[in-house]
Amino acid sequence: MDFIAEGINKGIISFDEEQKNITYQVKNPKKRRYTDPEEKVQALTFCILVLEYSYPPNRITINETVTMGASKKEADIIVYNDDELTQPYIVVECKKKEVSEAEFKQAVNQAFAYAHALAGTTKYIWITKGDKDEYYKFDKETNKKEEEADIPHFGQVETPPFKYVKGGAWISPKGKTFHLSDLETIEEGDLIRVFKQAHDALWAGGELNPSQAFDELDKLIFCKIWDEKNTDKKQPYKFQIYRNETAQQLVKRIEKLYDEGKRKDPEVFKKPIDLTPKRIQTVIRYLQKINLNKTDLDSKGRAFETFLGTYFRGEFGQYFTPRPVVKMMIDALPITADARVLDTSCGSGGFLLYALDKVRNQANDKYDKTDPEEAVDHYTHWHDFAEKRLFGIEINESIARVAKMNMIIHDDGHTNVIAFDGLYPIEYIQERTGNKGFAPNSFDFIVTNPPFGSIVKQSEKSYMQVNRGTAPYYDFALKEVNWINAAARGKHLVKGRENQSTEVLFIEQCHKFLKEGGYLAVVIPDGILTNSSMQYVRDDIERKFRIISVVSLPQTTFSHTGAGVKSSVLFLKKHLQSETEKIKRIQDEIKEELATEVKLKETYNLWTKEKREALKPYLKQKDAESTSKRNEINDSFKEKWNTLFEEIVDNYQFQKKERLENYPILMAIADDIGYDASGKNISKDDLPEITSELKRFIEQIEKGEPSANFC
């Protein structure tokens, strides 16, 4: 319920035209400044007291003066037990949503001070900041404080031992029906704040390190979701504060939830909850009222990703792919529920989530999920895809765990997310993880943003090594053979590389994972496309893939995350093996023909002999003139050879264009992608138009071949 809107409708509050001031329609109407963040919480609380708890507005006072010894202060809200306002019953202290844990604790003490100063013996106390509440029963005579699960509703003699029940109605063991609260959905911004404040409460300014606090918060969110899914109708949720229970009793209940969830999903969390009872209690107060399962998927996902993205950028230096780029890559590809989809460097799971949402939207178009007869088919359509056809690999165990939680928050799809080095041989990944789904030549789509700039050393990774003359797992672990120099010298020595960049190795690994005809959409640094030293990578791509499109991203794409590498998105379609062999055969034939045509070996040997003869008179001389002459002869030979070299390369490229199949490639430049270098949203966004054209282009490729007007 929108309590503020309903409060206006019922006439218990009103606003001025600009909504800067609010008037409470209580016994003595009060006008207050609504622009104050604390006042907004107070207004919401007042409306809840009247609309949900049914207290008459004439028994409520707003900002009543309370004498406390020699000083006077204003209590935010006091609810009375009589029309004459002589029997204070509930004291409410309101704080703005942004207050810290320490400030909230001060508010608790302040509320008790008001309760002690007011007349009467027994009172209830409610401290709230909108997204966190604490309730107490206070006996002034004995100074006894008991924590409650809730305050009583109007006319209620006793309070139930808990506040939140599935469906809202609860029948006590004595047969009495209580109309309690069910969980509520909240907006994206509120959810981000709740996640952050719960994390900050665990971190406590350094008492836990941020990484540990994040892991422990993830465990409790896991418990929360498990509890929501497994609580029966008319039963109380276990993930909440019960009346007058010790922190140890609460922990015991939460640990039981956690163990039940772990038995179902043993790969999500392997270690027990490692928090003090007090900290567990703190997090539960933040999360207990929220219905994570029913909160809008997109809002829930954005909230979690915004929170974890901010956190991980600081903690691990991870640069997650911006949502507009993820959306463009997924939207352009013809992914369906029958496809197998993989992200070899899945991070927090952004690509997987968009693929899942795409299939879920297809289910929405195909089935009416509100129709009981079609609801099962709707669920099966997308859930089978999530459970059996969606795969992710992430090398960092903490981030892999976050990806699983991200998928769980989005209603599953975490089953096939593994924490492993995605560059290991595929058979080794299968063996070590026990997941045979990571099979070679089996994926229809790979959508990924591999880490840029990292180097894999031959001395550190077995898949980079040439052992006893055997080829390494990666062709890119070998030094590229310059065929012109090799043909000239008559030597074709194959040597292992000392190191290779991760982005290059991932391109080859993706080819190994893809089935023939499968699509790869990959974010790559522009150096792979432009640097002359990367020609061997481009040649390999040409042999193994049909190049679909190159979408150039602006320099600022990753600037707001702290990375400034100019990058592009490359869309590729894996060739049939026969096509790759055909291309290689034509490339080799052209090389052989060119080498024969210019008599490459003979020319090289002749020029080398001429150089040696020319150098002879100056070899034993050490004077400056002889040194200068030697340099001149060497430079002359080098220049002559380089000229011939360039002519052969140009001729080779020309011959390839003539003899290899010529097909159109969609080239696109995105100058703007919806946000600027600081990450602030802007109106300009070229990606939707590019996505539309790319999608149409791929559709025509699937039907045959696109017309040249796409080039």
Side-chain angles (χ1 to χ4, degrees), residues 13-54:
I13 56 171
S14 60
F15 290 92
D16 58 15
E17 273 189 28
E18 297 179 346
Q19 215 170 25
K20 287 184 177 179
N21 297 295
I22 182 173
T23 299
Y24 298 89
Q25 302 303 328
V26 291
K27 195 166 188 176
N28 299 304
K30 280 267 189 174
K31 186 176 181 180
R32 305 277 299 172
R33 190 183 295 276
Y34 191 65
T35 50
D36 181 357
E38 190 169 295
E39 195 65 41
K40 291 181 179 179
V41 174
Q42 184 164 310
L44 174 64
T45 306
F46 171 74
C47 290
I48 290 173
L49 282 166
V50 176
L51 299 171
E52 183 175 336
Y53 289 86
S54 303

Side-chain angles (χ1 to χ4, degrees), residues 302-363:
R302 280 197 300 266
F304 191 69
E305 287 173 42
T306 299
F307 168 54
L308 70 89
T310 302
Y311 164 68
F312 276 115
R313 279 199 297 275
E315 181 66 15
F316 289 105
Q318 298 287 325
Y319 304 114
F320 297 115
T321 315
R323 294 181 70 89
V325 177
V326 175
K327 180 172 169 52
M328 180 267 292
M329 293 168 70
I330 293 294
D331 284 354
L333 295 171
I335 297 171
T336 65
D338 297 326
R340 281 169 50 83
V341 180
L342 169 67
D343 183 350
T344 53
S345 312
C346 73
S348 64
F351 286 115
L352 303 180
L353 289 170
Y354 264 87
L356 176 55
D357 282 347
K358 180 168 187 167
V359 171
R360 189 184 279 114
N361 288 333
Q362 291 167 0

Side-chain angles (χ1 to χ4, degrees), residues 21 28 146 170 301 321 402 414-415 431 463 494 542 559 579 608 618 682 709:
N21 297 295
N28 299 304
E146 294 180 347
W170 175 69
T321 315
V402 170
H414 65 285
T415 310
E431 178 188 335
Y463 52 73
V494 177
E542 180 183 59
S559 294
E579 181 66 16
T608 302
Y618 309 102
I682 59 174
N709 62 7

Side-chain angles (χ1 to χ4, degrees), residues 100-159:
S100 66
E101 283 299 299
E103 290 170 315
F104 191 86
K105 190 174 180 180
Q106 288 175 359
V108 174
N109 294 333
Q110 185 69 49
F112 275 108
Y114 290 143
H116 196 274
L118 289 166
T121 303
T122 303
K123 303 178 189 73
Y124 286 91
I125 296 172
W126 177 11
I127 306 95
T128 181
K129 63 188 192 79
D131 51 19
K132 180 186 176 185
D133 305 277
E134 290 188 22
Y135 309 95
Y136 297 91
K137 188 176 182 181
F138 173 63
D139 188 313
K140 183 176 176 179
E141 287 187 356
T142 62
N143 205 32
K144 186 179 180 181
K145 305 171 185 177
E146 294 180 347
E147 184 162 10
E148 292 282 334
D150 198 2
I151 57 170
H153 286 59
F154 180 67
Q156 197 176 60
V157 179
E158 60 177 311
T159 59

Side-chain angles (χ1 to χ4, degrees), residues 65-73 110 113-114 116-118 140:
T65 301
V66 178
T67 302
M68 304 173 67
S71 65
K72 293 187 177 186
K73 293 187 177 181
Q110 185 69 49
Y114 290 143
H116 196 274
L118 289 166
K140 183 176 176 179

Side-chain angles (χ1 to χ4, degrees), residues 627-645:
T627 300
S628 176
K629 196 66 178 173
R630 287 197 300 272
N631 290 339
E632 182 184 325
I633 293 167
N634 282 323
D635 289 344
S636 175
F637 172 80
K638 217 178 273 183
E639 184 180 351
K640 191 160 59 168
W641 177 251
N642 286 341
T643 301
L644 178 61
F645 191 101

